Amino acid sequence: MPRDTVVDSLVDRLRDDVLSGRYPPGSYLPPERQLAAGYAVTRTSLKHAIVRLAQLGLLETRHGVGTRVRDYERLGGPELLPMLVSTVGPAWMAEIFEVRREVGAQVAAKAAANATDAQRARLRELEAEVREAADGNAAQLAECEIHRVIAAATGNRVYGFMVNALLNAYMAVREGFTHAFGDPAAAADRLAPLVRALCDGDAEHARAAAAAYFAETEAIMLDAR
């Protein structure tokens, strides 16, 4: 295999071993020669993989000491969520859904008060895209875009980054939730009260509609898992 492919594969394997607890936070990885032999790769490929995982915030190399697993739950950022969901999924998805409900309601209230006419028009267009989607996959992607527009409508870019982090984690495993959009018209009906509240500029109504929408969709998403 090309070296880049080997490194990509090794990054995935090492990442999974770290996040699954084989190498727990605070522990040191085995010496490079031993670790490379264990993964059947060259030390050069291993070094490249370690550099990439250090850039992701999972490892840190101390010259003359070794490579240690960082306490990523204490020091890591939301960019780790997609990896955590892909590797050790269910527990993290439960927490992501909880934040989705709580943050989503606040974001919706803020967006209702600050959305521009163009953003309101875009929300209506996306609701129509969900309704008219050819299948659950297309409806799901249109629904994700609605949340990005809502976040942008708050006028606060930090909310945008928070929503992006949650969506990125969700997108890593979205195939497992496509069934919730299998009937695009029904999915659009669930969205309609939220979009209407946002377009009406009613912050408290939007907050309540968002909380109800997230709770309902979560129940549907988890029902078939």
Side-chain angles (χ1 to χ4, degrees):
M1 289 189 293
R3 191 176 71 183
D4 287 348
T5 304
V6 171
V7 173
D8 290 341
S9 178
L10 182 56
V11 166
D12 290 343
R13 292 170 64 191
L14 259 176
R15 176 202 66 202
D16 291 350
D17 284 344
V18 167
L19 297 179
S20 66
R22 180 179 179 184
Y23 303 120
S27 68
Y28 282 88
L29 299 184
E32 283 188 1
R33 188 180 303 279
Q34 178 184 337
L35 196 62
Y39 287 107
V41 297
T42 66
R43 291 180 67 183
T44 299
S45 293
L46 177 64
K47 287 178 184 292
H48 284 298
I50 287 173
V51 166
R52 284 169 54 177
L53 289 170
Q55 291 169 342
L56 290 171
L58 290 179
L59 301 175
E60 59 182 357
T61 298
R62 298 184 175 187
H63 296 293
V65 179
T67 298
R68 188 173 72 169
V69 179
R70 296 182 79 226
D71 185 353
Y72 52 84
E73 288 192 26
R74 186 171 71 88
L75 301 172
E79 69 280 354
L80 295 179
L81 287 174
M83 292 185 287
L84 288 161
V85 167
S86 297
T87 303
V88 291
W92 282 96
M93 278 310 305
E95 294 179 40
I96 287 169
F97 274 127
E98 180 181 5
V99 174
R100 177 178 179 258
R101 291 192 305 271
E102 295 173 357
V103 172
Q106 173 61 20
V107 168
K110 187 84 170 175
N114 292 285
T116 65
D117 289 342
Q119 287 166 334
R120 293 187 175 100
R122 181 59 178 151
L123 288 172
R124 294 189 187 98
E125 289 174 359
L126 287 166
E127 180 191 338
E129 284 186 24
V130 173
R131 188 175 302 279
E132 297 162 9
D135 54 30
N137 180 64
Q140 184 184 38
L141 292 175
E143 192 259 5
C144 287
E145 186 61 25
I146 283 177
H147 297 301
R148 296 189 195 279
V149 175
I150 293 173
T154 65
N156 185 320
R157 289 172 292 184
V158 176
Y159 278 133
F161 288 139
M162 292 173 67
V163 170
N164 282 341
L166 294 173
L167 283 173
N168 289 342
Y170 172 78
M171 293 294 281
V173 292
R174 75 178 182 87
E175 291 82 0
F177 301 112
T178 305
H179 64 273
F181 302 90
D183 182 342
D189 287 342
R190 290 192 294 272
L191 268 168
L194 173 56
V195 172
R196 185 163 56 248
L198 289 162
C199 292
D200 287 346
D202 186 332
E204 290 311 308
H205 187 190
R207 187 192 305 275
Y213 175 74
F214 288 130
E216 184 178 12
T217 54
E218 178 181 341
I220 295 170
M221 287 175 178
L222 297 179
D223 184 57
R225 287 178 69 82

